[in-house]
């Protein structure tokens, strides 16, 4: 089982739609969770951290379910500019502290 | 504010040639530093991470190596490149107390 798994998509949605992505992780000792956004041929950029109580930033809402070991990202009122690949990231404890990335979910928002 | 610089941005190298990618972080002390690689159509693969000068952990055995000669400098090297080394190489840093990860703009390597 991969450490972090995501549906690769693409998710094709019309402008204004609500879309949700899930991500599952295998290491139950993981402590920190994040969503990153990556535009084509660019570096990933932090979208938001995911807290145990869930958190919201404008049109974006992130949730963490430790019991089922998944995190989610909800995007409301999708914009054309939301088109990108969304990467799920968890830390991995053990011999150090390192971040493990999912392969990403591609989102295409169409007019 | 903290910044991270990575260079060169793009390079094309022949098989068997050496490689050196450099990364520096400004505006912070004692960062954790990372090298990732993203092959075409694939996810980010952690190559190396470092918690301090000369303290480097390798995640994947291969013909790449990393060095951290100064607190805020991280170098990725190879003595002889393989075709499979082509990809998008990303340097990143995080605070010593675990927090978010911040990336440089990346170095796109094509090995011919």
């Amino acid at each position: 089982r991969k450490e972090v798994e995501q549906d690769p998509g693409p998710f094709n949605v019309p402008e204004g739609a609500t879309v949700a992505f899930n991500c599952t992780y295998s290491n139950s000792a993981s402590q920190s969770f994040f969503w990153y956004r990556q535009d084509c041929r660019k570096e990933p950029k932090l979208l938001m951290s995911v807290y145990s109580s869930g958190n919201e930033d404008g049109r974006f809402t992130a949730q963490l379910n430790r019991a089922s070991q998944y995190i989610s990202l909800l995007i409301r009122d999708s914009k054309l500019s939301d088109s990108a690949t969304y990467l799920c990231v968890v830390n991995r404890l053990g011999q150090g502290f390192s971040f493990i990335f999912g392969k990403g979910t591609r989102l295409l928002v169409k007019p | 504010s903290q910044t991270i610089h990575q260079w060169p941005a793009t390079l094309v190298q022949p098989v068997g040639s050496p490689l050196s990618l450099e990364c520096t972080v400004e505006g912070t002390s004692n960062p954790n530093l990372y090298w990732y690689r993203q092959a075409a159509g694939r996810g980010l693969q952690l190559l190396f991470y470092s918690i301090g000068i000369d303290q480097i952990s390798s995640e994947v055995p291969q013909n790449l190596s990393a060095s951290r000669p100064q607190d805020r400098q991280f170098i990725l090297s190879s003595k002889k490149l393989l075709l499979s080394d082509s990809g998008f190489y990303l340097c990143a840093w995080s605070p010593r107390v675990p927090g978010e990860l911040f990336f440089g703009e990346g170095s796109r390597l094509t090995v011919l």
Side-chain angles (χ1 to χ4, degrees):
Chain A
R1 181 182 177 184
K2 296 179 181 176
E3 287 197 65
V4 179
E5 292 196 73
Q6 295 181 252
D7 182 341
F11 285 59
N12 293 288
V13 302
E15 263 187 298
T18 296
V19 61
F21 310 135
N22 280 343
C23 164
T24 59
Y25 60 94
S26 60
N27 188 337
S28 60
S30 298
Q31 290 192 333
S32 302
F33 308 89
F34 310 89
W35 283 103
Y36 279 72
R37 169 194 170 125
Q38 186 175 25
D39 293 298
C40 187
R41 299 179 70 82
K42 297 288 189 179
E43 77 276 20
K45 294 184 178 179
L46 179 66
L47 179 65
M48 58 197 306
S49 302
V50 186
Y51 304 122
S52 296
S53 57
N55 48 302
E56 185 175 312
D57 183 2
R59 298 182 293 108
F60 299 85
T61 300
Q63 297 277 349
L64 168 63
N65 185 317
R66 286 189 181 275
S68 300
Q69 295 185 203
Y70 76 84
I71 67 174
S72 63
L73 177 67
L74 181 76
I75 305 175
R76 290 180 297 277
D77 188 23
S78 298
K79 311 292 185 187
L80 295 176
S81 58
D82 293 334
S83 296
T85 297
Y86 291 84
L87 305 173
C88 170
V89 185
V90 306
N91 78 323
R92 174 164 61 81
L93 302 179
Q95 296 179 343
F97 182 84
S98 56
F99 298 79
I100 304 300
F101 284 71
K103 291 188 176 182
T105 297
R106 191 173 175 203
L107 171 65
L108 297 173
V109 181
K110 299 185 176 180
Chain B
S1 64
Q2 300 89 359
T3 58
I4 178 168
H5 301 285
Q6 181 182 344
W7 69 94
T10 305
L11 64 167
V12 180
Q13 296 285 103
V15 170
S17 63
L19 171 73
S20 180
L21 302 178
E22 296 195 32
C23 171
T24 60
V25 181
E26 300 294 334
T28 187
S29 297
N30 301 316
N32 293 327
L33 297 174
Y34 310 80
W35 279 110
Y36 284 86
R37 177 172 63 198
Q38 188 174 39
R42 304 179 76 173
L44 272 76
Q45 178 186 31
L46 178 63
L47 301 175
F48 301 95
Y49 69 91
S50 171
I51 62 172
I53 294 175
D54 295 330
Q55 299 179 68
I56 297 167
S57 297
S58 173
E59 292 292 303
V60 183
Q62 53 200 339
N63 67 322
L64 300 173
S65 62
S67 61
R68 185 171 177 174
Q70 301 180 42
D71 179 48
R72 293 172 293 173
Q73 182 184 22
F74 207 22
I75 298 171
L76 182 70
S77 303
S78 174
K79 293 182 178 178
K80 288 186 177 181
L81 285 168
L82 307 173
L83 287 174
S84 57
D85 291 325
S86 293
F88 191 40
Y89 288 82
L90 291 152
C91 181
W93 77 274
S94 71
R96 179 51 56 91
V97 175
E100 295 90 354
L101 190 66
F102 302 97
F103 286 91
E105 292 183 343
S107 299
R108 194 165 301 279
L109 169 66
T110 302
V111 182
L112 300 175

